[in-house]
Amino acid sequence: MGATVLTGKRAGAFQRADGEWIFALFERTYEKNCYPHQDHWSGITLGNYASVMRRIFSHATSCEGGMLQSRSGQIRPENYIESWRQELAKPMMLRDRQIELRVGKSFDAPIPEKALKDVRRCLANAGEQGRFEALVAGGLSVSLFADLDLLISLYGEKGLFSAWRVLSVDDCGSVQVTASVPNLQPAATIMKQMPDVRCHAIDGDSRLVAFGGGPWHHAGWQFSAVGSFITDVAYDLELKYPGFAKRAIPEYREMLRKASPVPPDSKLTVTRAPQGVDKWRLSTADEIARGLGIVEQDQQAPDQFTFCFREVMGELNSQLLYKLNGVDHSQVVWEVADHGIDTLPVATAPNEPQFSLSLF
């Protein structure tokens, strides 16, 4: 299987005049299906604690599906996140230096020529419109420290480009410093913040999930459902309650694993064309309606149709069941029959420690 293998990580950091810590993150990787295996360092992001943690959580989703591994194999996303958090607490001092921003056609150009229109808009939004003219005229020489906001606008978490275009792991000095990062909170405090979760198994791989009193939605395969939880739920709660991800992700994963089947008499109402839905999702709704015999094979689905979950169960209907993952959440309303719904919390075994690294 193709995967990215992580062999090292490093955080560089410095403090702004107002005391805020700024981090640059670097990872050493190689591609598992490319030979010979030669790892290399790449800068992955630049910004404050909340910003770089967002990138870490994004990369952690790749751990769950196995696309991000260590040399010894699988990395648990909760361990990956926690190991990076520890790295941020003890970073290497990041040195100031001049960075040459030049427009070029090469793959590794600091400013790709084909992206100039986006660069103009990005700099304008950052209040740096005047720098664009100088950039195009002959390039800019900027300071990592003094021109940090400009660099973050281009190479930070919401920027246009990856940090490897302008930062190198060699920018990290040999002196380790202690950065101000949030301390872990007690487990009892953390898990009180866990949202109510309801869950059922659509089939052996896919899960139906609802948070709190919210609507049910098809969360995709189990690894995809965990990935969505990491970025959509755990990230925000981690910033408020440090250590949340480490404890909540295993709980959520275990619940998905043990989920009971969707009750057969549950009802699904499909709206064919809500505003903003892609054409291919409309086609998927049409295919479901045809498969159920609601319309003829050459017809499109009605504006709205309802069916029972049992109608897509069984081996003969496996393709219809699969197509449910291809419609948008806005197209389907699930009315799950209440025959006992799986909810958190779930007792889980302690995690085994793992060595984890990162991606891109």
Side-chain angles (χ1 to χ4, degrees):
M1 181 182 72
T4 299
V5 179
L6 299 98
T7 61
K9 70 165 71 69
R10 187 171 301 170
F14 69 93
Q15 275 186 293
R16 304 184 80 159
D18 61 2
E20 182 183 39
W21 282 93
I22 299 298
F23 301 89
L25 273 51
F26 303 89
E27 295 179 332
R28 190 174 63 210
T29 66
Y30 66 82
E31 297 305 311
K32 192 172 182 179
N33 60 351
C34 295
Y35 297 90
H37 290 160
Q38 295 180 336
D39 53 3
H40 63 280
W41 286 100
S42 292
I44 60 170
T45 194
L46 172 70
N48 61 16
Y49 179 79
S51 174
V52 300
M53 283 294 282
R54 180 175 291 279
R55 175 60 62 92
I56 289 167
F57 272 65
S58 177
H59 284 188
T61 64
S62 298
C63 298
E64 190 69 19
M67 296 306 294
L68 178 60
Q69 304 178 1
S70 70
R71 279 198 173 106
S72 59
Q74 185 179 8
I75 303 170
R76 290 290 193 188
E78 58 269 27
N79 294 337
Y80 169 76
I81 292 168
E82 177 57 22
S83 67
W84 253 122
R85 204 190 70 83
Q86 294 175 16
E87 194 78 18
L88 295 176
K90 297 290 184 181
M92 309 305 290
M93 178 60 74
L94 195 63
R95 297 182 294 227
D96 192 15
R97 71 172 176 88
Q98 292 299 114
I99 296 174
E100 303 302 319
L101 300 183
R102 297 286 184 270
V103 179
K105 297 181 179 180
S106 64
F107 168 76
D108 58 351
I111 303 292
E113 186 178 62
K114 62 182 181 181
L116 279 178
K117 183 180 296 185
D118 292 330
V119 171
R120 178 193 289 272
R121 183 171 58 252
C122 181
L123 293 182
N125 291 339
E128 299 281 359
Q129 176 65 33
R131 311 292 288 273
F132 179 79
E133 304 305 328
L135 175 67
V136 175
L140 286 173
S141 180
V142 299
S143 161
L144 176 57
F145 289 8
D147 297 294
L148 178 66
D149 290 337
L150 182 148
L151 291 170
I152 287 178
S153 71
L154 291 172
Y155 305 99
E157 196 54 27
K158 295 182 180 180
L160 299 173
F161 313 116
S162 295
W164 57 261
R165 293 181 180 274
V166 292
L167 294 177
S168 165
V169 71
D170 294 333
D171 294 327
C172 297
S174 58
V175 177
Q176 190 177 62
V177 295
T178 300
S180 177
V181 301
N183 294 322
L184 294 179
Q185 295 192 8
T189 300
I190 289 171
M191 292 312 295
K192 287 180 181 178
Q193 314 309 320
M194 185 73 180
D196 293 332
V197 182
R198 295 172 292 163
C199 177
H200 277 305
I202 294 174
D203 57 22
D205 297 311
S206 301
R207 295 296 181 263
L208 186 69
V209 174
F211 290 98
W216 291 92
H217 69 275
H218 195 311
W221 288 3
Q222 290 186 61
F223 76 86
S224 179
V226 173
S228 297
F229 178 79
I230 290 170
T231 55
D232 299 345
V233 178
Y235 169 73
D236 288 332
L237 286 169
E238 176 72 23
L239 294 185
K240 296 177 182 178
Y241 307 97
F244 177 83
K246 182 178 181 180
R247 296 189 177 276
I249 294 172
E251 294 274 350
Y252 186 69
R253 180 189 299 113
E254 188 69 2
M255 184 181 186
L256 294 178
R257 188 182 69 82
K258 293 182 176 180
S260 62
V262 174
D265 51 343
S266 298
K267 292 183 179 179
L268 292 82
T269 299
V270 177
T271 301
R272 181 180 183 271
Q275 186 174 1
V277 173
D278 295 335
K279 288 184 178 180
W280 71 271
R281 294 188 188 273
L282 303 185
S283 297
T284 302
D286 292 339
E287 291 169 1
I288 292 173
R290 292 165 189 158
L292 291 169
I294 294 174
V295 296
E296 299 296 331
Q297 291 302 311
D298 59 346
Q299 295 179 322
Q300 71 178 35
D303 292 341
Q304 192 173 84
F305 58 96
T306 300
F307 58 95
C308 282
F309 185 71
R310 64 166 55 91
E311 297 179 61
V312 294
M313 294 173 64
E315 187 174 348
L316 293 177
N317 294 320
S318 60
Q319 284 300 312
L320 284 178
L321 198 62
Y322 177 78
K323 289 182 186 301
L324 284 177
N325 195 27
V327 290
D328 189 78
H329 293 171
S330 66
Q331 290 176 278
V332 185
V333 174
W334 293 75
E335 297 177 63
V336 177
D338 188 5
H339 299 324
I341 297 173
D342 298 320
T343 58
L344 281 176
V346 178
T348 56
N351 291 327
E352 296 181 0
Q354 292 187 4
F355 175 64
S356 70
L357 303 164
S358 84
L359 182 63
F360 297 121

